[in-house]
Amino acid sequence: MNLLVPNHIAIIMDGNGRWAKSKGMPRTYGHKAGADTLRKILSSCGELGVKYLTVYAFSTENWKRAKEEVDTLMFLFKTYLKNEKRLLMKNNVKFIVSGRKEGVSKDLLSEIEKLEEATKGNTGITLNIAFNYGGRAELVDAIKRIVENKEEIITEETVEKYLYNQLPDPELLIRTSGEMRISNFLLWQIAYSEIYVTDTYWPDFDKTELIKAIESYQKRDRRFGGVK
């Protein structure tokens, strides 16, 4: 397959709850299915040659959801961290998390740190999970650190140095479920990202849908504010 594949793809994994509702199931059922989809899409991205995959798993605003749903999301993430280590190591995946630690339980933070440490030497695709993440929160935290370190000259490079993780900006941002908004995701990093929105709910998003998004990206004329 001859594809101009983005180096970095970011995905807003939306629609788990609506997908579950359409099947007469609770929202938690959709989140469990969404975790399975992430595993498959990570594998597909690796096969296609994507180097970085950032997914929006839990936002700073998601704490406002019902306690049962939040507890399920925390349980699913902890389960993912424990169960995926073998597969991530086998597939040479580097695992990192972007987001605030405040509010996250100590045992979950411990599991995150253990998986990051175990995979830090892997050289394949990097999976960056945005967890307890908000784009505005990231910028506030970066500004605080810039002030604390008494940076005298502030440039774009200075700000980027203080973001949660220093990754290349995504060339392609995908949002599932048809919603036409950014939802406080990677506000700095997606300044020139191409945006692709599909009506497909995240649990139904598969390799075929991923390739559709990449093919759409191929057709874009990326000028970065200039003229060709």
Side-chain angles (χ1 to χ4, degrees):
M1 183 175 298
N2 184 20
L3 288 175
L4 176 63
V5 178
N7 185 53
H8 185 176
I9 293 178
I11 304 178
I12 300 174
M13 305 182 294
D14 197 18
N16 291 340
R18 278 165 286 168
W19 178 85
K21 184 178 180 181
S22 72
K23 298 181 179 300
M25 301 295 287
R27 290 175 61 85
T28 52
Y29 179 77
H31 293 311
K32 292 174 183 176
D36 291 335
T37 297
L38 174 57
R39 183 182 301 110
K40 296 171 185 175
I41 293 301
L42 174 62
S43 176
S44 296
C45 282
E47 292 170 3
L48 292 170
V50 177
K51 299 301 182 185
Y52 303 90
L53 173 64
T54 295
V55 295
Y56 207 4
F58 189 85
S59 76
T60 50
E61 291 79 23
N62 286 157
W63 293 106
K64 301 174 185 176
R65 294 187 177 185
K67 184 178 184 301
E68 179 186 2
E69 184 174 354
V70 171
D71 288 346
T72 297
L73 288 167
M74 295 297 156
F75 174 77
L76 284 174
F77 191 33
K78 186 186 292 186
T79 302
Y80 179 90
L81 296 172
K82 291 181 176 179
N83 293 347
E84 295 301 304
K85 179 179 177 181
R86 182 188 62 81
L87 190 60
L88 294 178
M89 295 302 294
K90 178 182 177 182
N91 293 325
N92 197 26
V93 177
K94 182 177 181 179
F95 173 88
I96 58 176
V97 171
S98 295
R100 285 179 167 173
K101 295 182 179 181
E102 292 81 3
V104 182
S105 66
K106 289 183 179 179
D107 57 338
L108 181 49
L109 287 175
S110 176
E111 293 296 334
I112 290 172
E113 291 168 0
K114 285 191 288 187
L115 191 53
E116 287 181 327
E117 179 64 25
T119 63
K120 70 179 183 180
N122 289 350
T123 57
I125 186 172
T126 294
L127 172 61
N128 177 33
I129 295 189
F131 180 79
N132 197 22
Y133 175 89
R136 289 182 175 180
E138 180 174 27
L139 291 173
V140 168
D141 291 346
I143 292 168
K144 286 180 178 178
R145 293 177 61 200
I146 289 171
V147 173
E148 288 169 0
N149 286 279
K150 300 179 180 179
E151 295 278 4
E152 295 182 0
I153 300 175
I154 300 177
T155 63
E156 290 187 10
E157 290 72 23
T158 309
V159 175
E160 289 169 356
K161 185 172 68 172
Y162 287 97
L163 298 177
Y164 292 143
N165 281 298
Q166 284 67 59
L167 300 178
D169 292 341
E171 290 90 354
L172 174 63
L173 170 65
I174 299 171
R175 178 158 194 156
T176 58
S177 88
E179 300 292 347
M180 303 292 287
R181 55 179 176 268
I182 302 302
S183 295
N184 198 19
F185 184 47
L186 302 179
L187 298 181
W188 178 277
Q189 297 90 335
I190 62 170
Y192 281 101
S193 298
E194 298 298 325
I195 299 175
Y196 177 87
V197 177
T198 174
D199 289 331
T200 302
Y201 293 141
W202 175 246
D204 288 331
F205 193 83
D206 56 15
K207 187 175 182 178
T208 298
E209 292 291 332
L210 176 64
I211 290 174
K212 286 181 183 178
I214 294 174
E215 288 176 336
S216 174
Y217 164 81
Q218 282 185 294
K219 299 172 184 176
R220 311 288 179 89
D221 182 13
R222 308 191 74 213
R223 296 187 298 274
F224 301 96
V227 178
K228 292 183 179 180

